[in-house]
Amino acid sequence: MAQAVNPARTVLMTVDDDPGVSRAVARDLRRRYGESYRVVRAESGESALHALRELKLRGDLVAVIVADYRMPNMNGIEFLERALDVYPGARRVLLTAYADTDAAINAINVIDLDHYLLKPWEPPEEKLYPVLDDLLEAWRATDHRSVAVTKVVGHRWSARSSAVREFLARNEVPYRWYSSDDPEGRRLLCAAGQDGLRLPLVVTPDGTALVEPADRDLAARVGLATTPTADFYDLVIIGGGPAGLGAAVYGASEGLRTVLVERSATGGQAGQSSRIENYLGFPDGVSGAQLTDRARRQAAKFGAEMLTAREVTGLEINGASRVVRFSDGSAIAAHAVILATGVSYRQLDAPGVAELTGCGVFYGSALTEAAACHGHDVYIVGGANSAGQAAIYLARGAKSVTLVVRRASVTTSMSHYLVEQVEETPTISVRANTVVDAAHGEHQLERLTLRDTRTGNTELVDAQWMFVFIGAAPLTDWLEGTVRRDPRGFILTGPDLTPDGHPPADWELDRPPYHLETNVPGVFVAGDARAESAKRVASAVGEGAMAVMLVHRYLEQS
């Protein structure tokens, strides 16, 4: 439950080195919120931190901090990052000029910025107050007691250590990372009775030590829901990417008792994207993590139940119910099922790659590793949108970024806006007609063998970081024998099941399958797992909503 809040002791803070701007922000905040909150004004990051520490000692709460980006000595991003240590639950807003929007967007990933506002914010009734209203509502819905942080001790080049950090980050679980070589890391290992040979060590907020934990054990220990609250639902959604989250929002908001089951972390591949610029309603772009967080909170607000780290291994038909089986042997059932399992990154089949995965070789954007790439040469394998988005993001800190592309150009597989950005970024280069023949390194990636597909010539290059985006394969093998798929494993639905206008032989109803319905009545598909889907975030969300509409139609006729 959210802790009771005393408005008289709850603060809205504004920080700006320009006295005129500082007074204007404080004036607008007092005009709207002065009766319910205390507005505190500071004119530098240093003085604001001093004020925050005093507020902490007195036991006051801070709900929102609004900081200007361009301040001397300590800019707004640096200040907000340090403010996290004092008030981790405060909502953070960055005031910025249009020229600094890239820095603001980057801050969404670096310090989990909640929002940025362009100056001037006039009229506040349209540009300031709606943002603050939403942030205050979200803040009031949370518990404001001090947050104990999960600690992770691991080795920099440990695949499992990297996977645990990625799991926690994508599930928005606060954690602190300690190298096993650092003094604090060694102290935690000693306290847990470990010699450092088995890593990672995870210490949960209640002091429980977990050694090399599996995702499900880790999820349960850090407070993520892993067990369903019921045996039967109206709707089970399998997969928590954009399609699954879209279905969860619409299913729960329209009165269906809905549960979403995700094997790793909500967001899918889109949730790992550093920046999505062509999603409707976000003209300045949005990170996959931010979009996922908003969708997840929206689904939860309507009452959707979300299970994490649960692997689905089977689907059975039992009369009117559809039974979903988990890897541990347990099961839940529902009137209808939406398959939104998405796709997984295709593995790069070259000598040395498998052995170095997680130790310099990563699939997907692996945003938790981005900071460590600063000043290094980075190689990205692939030429589609995911590769382009990762290249733009990593180029902000990397010494150089090289796109390794099998085709003659990225223009045939990458959106035009990304092609333009890649061409305009001086630290990004494209090696066309090139493939990775091998990865080399003892304990971490050290070199790559690149081959020109036209001449057959090879080159050995130094490399510590390689991110792979070479297409995707559907996660549908577990449906073999139940749901019909195409030769590549993508699920057939609606018209694809009736090419001659006749329902499939095993179809048991008088009507033909609905557009997103499989050969099993009441089992629908949305998103990338569907044959001939558009493979775009917007279309996946739309299919999630459409699938819920068809579920309602199915239930009405059952």
Side-chain angles (χ1 to χ4, degrees):
M1 292 179 59
Q3 188 180 12
V5 174
N6 179 1
R9 303 192 70 179
T10 303
V11 169
L12 308 181
M13 173 174 278
T14 172
V15 191
D16 199 304
D17 65 302
D18 184 326
V21 175
S22 178
R23 286 192 293 270
V25 177
R27 178 200 65 215
D28 287 343
L29 291 180
R30 290 192 180 102
R31 182 185 304 162
R32 174 84 167 201
Y33 306 104
E35 293 183 3
S36 302
Y37 298 90
R38 185 154 54 97
V39 177
V40 173
R41 182 167 67 91
E43 294 185 1
S44 72
E46 293 85 352
S47 62
L49 285 173
H50 179 73
L52 286 174
R53 294 186 184 107
E54 288 191 347
L55 292 168
K56 190 77 169 181
L57 288 175
R58 293 202 301 263
D60 292 346
L61 297 172
V62 176
V64 175
I65 303 172
V66 181
D68 185 63
Y69 172 61
R70 287 186 177 270
M71 295 190 293
N73 301 324
M74 183 189 304
N75 67 37
I77 295 175
E78 294 167 341
F79 160 71
L80 290 172
E81 187 171 20
R82 294 179 64 177
L84 272 171
D85 294 332
V86 188
Y87 281 97
R91 295 313 195 249
R92 296 170 294 284
V93 179
L94 192 69
L95 279 178
T96 182
Y98 182 81
D100 297 320
T101 51
D102 278 350
I105 292 170
N106 188 43
I108 292 172
N109 296 307
V110 175
I111 62 167
D112 197 21
L113 185 72
D114 293 290
H115 210 283
Y116 69 88
L117 290 171
L118 294 177
K119 295 187 293 185
W121 57 90
E122 300 291 339
E125 289 77 12
E126 295 181 10
K127 297 184 178 180
L128 177 64
Y129 298 151
V131 172
L132 270 292
D133 288 345
D134 287 345
L135 293 178
L136 286 169
E137 180 182 357
W139 181 84
R140 286 191 297 266
T142 59
D143 192 330
H144 306 297
R145 292 168 291 190
S146 58
V147 178
V149 177
T150 297
K151 301 177 179 67
V152 181
V153 182
H155 190 274
R156 182 71 199 81
W157 300 110
S158 159
R160 184 55 190 158
S161 296
S162 176
V164 164
R165 293 173 64 198
E166 189 80 0
F167 178 84
L168 294 173
R170 292 188 60 200
N171 282 290
E172 297 195 333
V173 177
Y175 75 92
R176 287 187 178 176
W177 162 260
Y178 302 93
S179 170
S180 56
D181 298 327
D182 293 340
E184 181 65 12
R186 291 196 297 268
R187 187 190 68 79
L188 289 169
L189 287 169
C190 181
Q194 297 296 314
D195 54 12
L197 295 178
R198 298 176 59 203
L199 293 174
L201 167 71
V202 179
V203 182
T204 63
D206 63 3
T208 301
L210 307 173
V211 180
E212 296 180 312
D215 284 353
R216 186 179 175 188
D217 294 333
L218 180 59
R221 289 290 188 173
V222 298
L224 300 174
T226 60
T227 304
T229 61
D231 296 326
F232 196 90
Y233 295 83
D234 294 320
L235 174 62
V236 173
I237 302 164
I238 304 173
L245 288 169
V249 168
Y250 282 93
S253 67
E254 294 176 11
L256 297 177
R257 186 169 189 187
T258 302
V259 60
L260 183 151
V261 181
E262 168 55 46
R263 68 189 185 103
S264 179
T266 51
Q269 288 188 345
Q272 295 176 280
S273 176
S274 54
R275 187 176 175 183
I276 303 168
E277 293 194 71
N278 58 352
Y279 189 72
L280 183 67
F282 292 88
D284 297 313
V286 61
S287 74
Q290 186 182 36
L291 189 63
T292 297
D293 174 62
R294 293 182 177 188
R296 183 167 47 208
R297 286 192 283 117
Q298 192 174 15
K301 181 184 77 171
F302 288 122
E305 189 177 328
M306 282 173 277
L307 308 181
T308 304
R310 293 304 300 266
E311 183 176 5
V312 176
T313 57
L315 175 66
E316 299 174 4
I317 312 305
N318 186 5
S321 69
R322 279 75 185 109
V323 180
V324 173
R325 295 211 170 272
F326 298 119
S327 57
D328 64 356
S330 62
I332 54 176
H335 292 298
V337 171
I338 294 177
L339 303 172
T341 51
V343 293
S344 64
Y345 287 110
R346 188 167 282 115
Q347 304 295 293
L348 179 59
D349 185 17
V353 171
E355 293 80 0
L356 294 171
T357 297
C359 303
V361 176
F362 301 93
Y363 288 89
S365 53
L367 294 180
T368 55
E369 306 296 334
C373 296
H374 187 83
H376 291 271
D377 297 313
V378 176
Y379 286 80
I380 296 177
V381 184
N385 279 8
S386 295
Q389 289 164 352
I392 297 296
Y393 179 72
L394 292 170
R396 295 170 181 169
K399 179 182 177 182
S400 71
V401 175
T402 302
L403 277 165
V404 180
V405 184
R406 179 185 292 270
R407 297 182 180 182
S409 170
V410 297
T411 57
T412 59
S413 55
M414 191 179 294
S415 293
H416 180 66
Y417 80 91
L418 278 173
V419 174
E420 288 186 326
Q421 291 185 29
V422 166
E423 292 175 344
E424 292 169 0
T425 305
T427 53
I428 299 178
S429 61
V430 178
R431 291 191 60 152
N433 300 301
T434 304
V435 296
V436 174
D437 258 7
H440 313 277
E442 289 291 329
H443 304 291
Q444 67 190 69
L445 179 65
E446 298 173 0
R447 292 174 300 279
L448 294 172
T449 297
L450 304 181
R451 175 169 54 87
D452 189 311
T453 57
R454 296 165 301 178
T455 65
N457 295 335
T458 62
E459 180 184 357
L460 190 64
V461 297
D462 292 332
Q464 282 189 298
W465 305 94
M466 180 173 70
F467 298 88
V468 182
F469 304 83
I470 55 170
L475 300 170
T476 59
D477 288 348
W478 59 279
L479 293 167
E480 179 66 31
T482 304
V483 173
R484 192 168 299 176
R485 303 174 296 154
D486 71 11
R488 296 181 299 160
F490 291 95
I491 302 171
L492 299 171
T493 62
D496 292 327
L497 290 168
T498 58
D500 56 359
H502 299 289
D506 55 351
W507 185 254
E508 58 189 49
L509 303 182
D510 294 334
R511 63 167 177 83
Y514 294 133
H515 182 67
L516 299 179
E517 196 169 21
T518 70
N519 60 296
V520 180
V523 177
F524 300 83
V525 186
D528 290 358
R530 184 178 65 83
E532 305 302 326
S533 62
K535 309 295 187 294
R536 289 291 186 269
V537 176
S539 62
V541 173
E543 287 190 7
M546 183 189 298
V548 170
M549 179 192 73
L550 297 176
V551 165
H552 276 291
R553 190 178 300 175
Y554 166 77
L555 294 176
E556 290 168 359
Q557 296 180 359
S558 297

